[in-house]
Amino acid sequence: MTDADQIDESDADESLADRVRSHVEGNRTGMIQDLAFAIAWVTIVSLLYDFLFFASPQWVLYMFMLAGIPAYFGFFISLKMARAQQ
């Protein structure tokens, strides 16, 4: 979903650390956005489940967590559309 630069194929002589470093350099902004969204989503869902839906069965928590997948794509697609309109 993020706008990452095309990364070259890895060389046979390149170490694992070099490949990881190359991947992180090419996708740094997207990885930070993904991590921030995941932390925010899990925090909000956990707080909702602990304080608002405390009497609910545990599968409700799992459904809320699973709802994070379409929420993630919906958020970043709408963000991309808003940036395109500017």
Side-chain angles (χ1 to χ4, degrees):
M1 291 307 310
T2 59
D3 297 328
D5 296 332
Q6 184 66 22
I7 298 173
D8 296 332
E9 293 293 324
S10 62
D11 297 330
D13 298 335
E14 194 174 30
S15 70
L16 177 62
D18 291 335
R19 285 185 281 170
V20 169
R21 187 176 303 112
S22 173
H23 179 74
V24 170
E25 286 174 0
N27 299 299
R28 180 172 295 153
T29 305
M31 293 173 77
I32 292 171
Q33 290 173 346
D34 294 348
L35 180 64
F37 184 87
I39 290 171
W41 186 263
V42 170
T43 301
I44 290 169
V45 167
S46 296
L47 290 173
L48 281 173
Y49 183 73
D50 288 343
F51 296 111
L52 192 58
F53 300 109
F54 56 87
S56 300
Q58 189 147 13
W59 63 265
V60 173
L61 173 66
Y62 298 143
M63 289 293 117
F64 275 134
M65 291 292 182
L66 201 58
I69 297 169
Y72 168 84
F73 287 106
F75 176 75
F76 283 107
I77 289 171
S78 67
L79 186 64
K80 187 175 183 178
M81 290 172 57
R83 286 181 180 161
Q85 288 181 353
Q86 288 183 343

